[in-house]
Each structure stands twice: as C-alpha cells, then as structure tokens.
Amino acid sequence: MNHTGETEQKHEKVAAFLTQRGYRVATCTIDNSDYVFNAAYVPMLAAHDSSAQRLRLEYLSYASAEIDYYAGLSKQIFGYEPPQVMLLHDNRLNADTIGQLLALFEKKHYKFVSLNRAQADPAYQIPDTYITKYGPMWGYRWAAERGVKVNGRLEPEPPEWIVHYGKHP
C-alpha cells in the first residue's frame, strides 16, 4: 500500500533492498480505492445481487472524481500536471470495467504512455524521503517534501454503502 517504512532506518532498508535487486518503485499518483469497491463487488456477484450494476457505475464515477482530484493536487504542488500513474489492482471489478475506466482518461484528454516515459518527468525525480507509518499517494508525499500545504480532506471518499457492504456482505 505504498508503505516504505515508518522510520528512516526502515525506509532506507526498503530502498536498499529494492535497489540491490534491480527494482524501482512504480510511483503511483492516482488511487481509486478499487480494492474497497471490489471487496463489495465480488460478494455481490456471488449472491447475484442486482446492486453490482449500481456499484460499477459508482466505481466509475468515483474513479473519475479521483482522476480530477489528483490532477488538481498535482497542479497545486507543481503548477502543472505531470504524467499520472493510476494504481489498479488485478481484481474482478477492474477486469469487468477496464474498458470504461480507460475511456474516462480518453474523455479527459489524457494520452497513454509507458511507465518509463511518465517517470521521466522531473516530478518523479524528487527523492523519496517521506517517512510515515502509512503509504499515501505520491502527490501527498511531494507536497510534504516541497512544503506545499494541501487539504487531504477534500479528496472524495468511496460511498459508505459500498464500504459497509464490503465489510458485511
């Protein structure tokens, strides 16, 4: 979950471990909480719950709002929007909606590029020195590194009925 260590020592050990093995962190700039939606979606499908269609629509609406939120966050931090990298988990919901999800980006006039090309942007060259016990998206890390105040409470939250269903199907 983007967690890289809650102490400087742990953070450095994680970085060294990855570097020694030739790995590079794929910095993620957009989170759409797909795992929260999927936790409700899979039991809905198993129960033949007609709410699954509503959930898919809510998921796409939420993903659209998150794309917009993180675009604005990037502009607040950098004054421009660097190429974005959306975190998507390999799950049933994304398998069922990937075409519609990608179409959201096209509708918003994004162009698809390789991870290497996206991470060639200067924003991605900012060293990862953010120490926290959580793993926030990189926009929040970059804001902290650059001393830019952001209000994370403005970020949309998944609908409560979906969060609840995912915990208590």
Side-chain angles (χ1 to χ4, degrees), residues 125-146:
Q125 309 316 308
I126 296 172
D128 177 24
T129 59
Y130 189 69
I131 310 296
T132 180
K133 75 184 233 187
Y134 304 106
M137 288 289 103
W138 254 256
Y140 293 114
R141 295 168 190 241
W142 289 331
E145 293 288 337
R146 298 183 68 150

Side-chain angles (χ1 to χ4, degrees), residues 54 69 106 122 154:
R54 178 178 168 212
Y69 173 79
E106 291 171 338
L154 298 176

Side-chain angles (χ1 to χ4, degrees), residues 78-155:
F78 298 112
Y80 74 100
E81 185 180 1
Q84 300 285 3
V85 178
M86 180 181 256
L87 172 61
L88 291 176
H89 295 93
D90 178 12
N91 62 39
R92 176 68 188 268
L93 178 60
N94 283 329
D96 289 352
T97 60
I98 193 67
Q100 296 160 297
L101 192 57
L102 296 176
L104 287 175
F105 284 98
E106 291 171 338
K107 184 178 178 184
K108 296 172 184 290
H109 306 288
Y110 283 87
K111 292 183 173 44
F112 298 101
V113 300
S114 70
L115 181 60
N116 283 339
R117 183 165 174 204
Q119 292 191 330
D121 187 272
Y124 292 89
Q125 309 316 308
I126 296 172
D128 177 24
T129 59
Y130 189 69
I131 310 296
T132 180
K133 75 184 233 187
Y134 304 106
M137 288 289 103
W138 254 256
Y140 293 114
R141 295 168 190 241
W142 289 331
E145 293 288 337
R146 298 183 68 150
V148 176
K149 277 258 199 224
V150 297
N151 185 353
R153 288 186 223 142
L154 298 176
E155 181 177 355

Side-chain angles (χ1 to χ4, degrees), residues 2-18 25 127-132 138 141 145:
N2 283 320
H3 180 59
T4 57
E6 71 274 8
T7 67
E8 188 174 344
Q9 181 183 19
K10 286 181 182 179
H11 184 81
E12 288 174 7
K13 282 187 176 187
V14 168
F17 176 88
L18 295 173
V25 173
D128 177 24
T129 59
Y130 189 69
I131 310 296
T132 180
W138 254 256
R141 295 168 190 241
E145 293 288 337

